């Protein structure tokens, strides 16, 4: 039996608005996310440091009185992305085949532990690429607001969605063009960076001046993700997409966990990063829970589904009247080691991209991110 809100592609109407509900980001959820995925991003980890920069929850007294939250920390920006995605799944991508792309993602005001976040989406367009197709893509703009009705995140995504069984579709396209880059002058800039320690977690901190255009920065470690951590991230953000919990798909891993893992792997290069947004992004190939792959295909290879994170600096921008930071445009990449068991998993699910495996690796994630990074004058 299908739930009313589990839409098929022919049920989306351009211009309609979908209301997805709400979630409270508890301190446990935020800190557990950082522990599992986000690693070295100081603004989410160190509430005292964030507070010294002016990131103090305007609702601190209300939360102390109503929820017993004494000192709300900033919510990790990576977790906010997953909250928006999770809340919108049931109305948009419950019947999805794949998430095709992200565009024009902008962060707004900071979120703090205890905030109640609401999600809405507007259907921008529909695309069916050939007559007689049994699926098509829907383009939506999702907006996340807090309890004060202030925007904390907004982005456009395009999702490939099944048609109702037995339904065939005619060619059409009402997809709206999106900017290649988010407007830096329109982005929510960070508060002033100042008096930042020159070491974080025992490692020297790079300033904006230290980064070089076209240079690739490798992550400090590589890891695979087990089913429990994939599932935890879905459950904590109310993401009920069933494709991640079915043997037929090899329990294909939730893409938000891949993004979070890659961001965590490169985080020591950008410990004071303040993410402004994303120009574009895509999930390029499936990743599976490593323990599931080992169980299904009798493997003991430690490299099963291991992801290697890196980023390349594409551009550097100075902002007028702001000497405390500069802006990096980076290409965030995740590459997966493909083992014998991983190859069997791809063949079992009929993945057609195996030709893209090079030197036992395949690209699983590509995102063009915009990041504010403190300059030397802000680091002591």
């Amino acid at each position: 039996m299908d739930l009313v809100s589990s839409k098929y592609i022919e049920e989306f109407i351009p211009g309609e608005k979908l209301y997805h509900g709400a979630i409270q980001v508890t301190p446990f959820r935020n800190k557990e996310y950082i522990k599992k995925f986000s690693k070295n991003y100081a603004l989410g980890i160190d509430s005292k440091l964030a507070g010294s920069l002016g990131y103090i929850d305007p609702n601190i007294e209300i939360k102390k009185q109503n929820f017993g939250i004494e000192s709300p920390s900033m919510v990790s920006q990576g977790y906010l992305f997953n909250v928006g995605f999770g809340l919108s799944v049931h109305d948009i991508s419950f019947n999805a085949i794949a998430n095709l792309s992200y565009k024009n993602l902008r962060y707004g005001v900071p979120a703090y532990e205890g905030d109640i976040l609401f999600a809405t989406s507007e259907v921008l367009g529909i695309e069916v690429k050939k007559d007689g197709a049994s699926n098509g893509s829907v383009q939506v703009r999702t907006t996340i607001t807090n309890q004060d009705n202030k925007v904390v995140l907004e982005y456009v995504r395009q999702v490939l969605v099944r048609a109702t069984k037995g339904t065939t579709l005619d060619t059409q396209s009402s997809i709206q063009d999106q900017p290649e880059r988010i407007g830096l002058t329109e982005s929510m800039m960070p508060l002033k960076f100042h008096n930042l320690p020159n070491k974080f977690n025992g490692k020297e901190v790079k300033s904006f001046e230290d980064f070089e255009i076209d240079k690739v920065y490798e992550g400090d470690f590589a890891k695979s993700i087990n089913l429990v951590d994939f599932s935890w991230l879905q459950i904590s953000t109310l993401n009920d997409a069933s494709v991640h919990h079915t043997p037929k798909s090899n329990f294909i891993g939730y893409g938000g966990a891949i993004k979070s893992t890659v961001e965590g792997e490169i985080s020591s290069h950008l410990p004071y990063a303040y993410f402004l947004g994303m120009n574009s992004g895509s999930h390029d190939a499936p990743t599976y829970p490593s323990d599931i792959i080992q169980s299904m295909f009798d493997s003991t290879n430690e490299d099963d589904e291991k992801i290697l994170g890196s980023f390349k600096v594409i551009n550097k921008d100075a902002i007028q009247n702001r000497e405390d930071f500069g802006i990096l445009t980076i290409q965030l990449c995740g590459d997966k080691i493909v083992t014998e068991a991983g190859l069997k998993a791809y063949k079992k699910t009929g993945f057609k991209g195996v030709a893209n495996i090079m030197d036992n690796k395949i690209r699983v994630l590509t995102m063009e991110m915009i990041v504010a990074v403190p300059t030397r004058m802000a680091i002591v």
Side-chain angles (χ1 to χ4, degrees), residues 305-317:
E305 305 302 294
K306 187 172 284 186
I307 300 165
L308 311 170
S310 66
F311 68 91
K312 179 180 179 180
V313 177
I314 299 173
N315 198 29
K316 298 176 70 174
D317 289 286

Side-chain angles (χ1 to χ4, degrees), residues 290-343:
S290 56
D291 49 346
I292 292 295
I293 292 302
Q294 291 168 347
S295 174
M296 291 179 70
F297 299 101
D298 298 320
S299 174
T300 57
N301 192 328
E302 292 183 357
D303 283 339
D304 285 331
E305 305 302 294
K306 187 172 284 186
I307 300 165
L308 311 170
S310 66
F311 68 91
K312 179 180 179 180
V313 177
I314 299 173
N315 198 29
K316 298 176 70 174
D317 289 286
I319 299 298
Q320 189 174 7
N321 301 322
R322 293 297 301 262
E323 296 181 348
D324 56 314
F325 73 89
I327 293 177
L328 301 180
T329 301
I330 64 172
Q331 184 183 60
L332 182 71
C333 298
D335 294 293
K336 185 180 78 171
I337 297 172
V338 182
T339 62
E340 183 180 352
L343 189 59

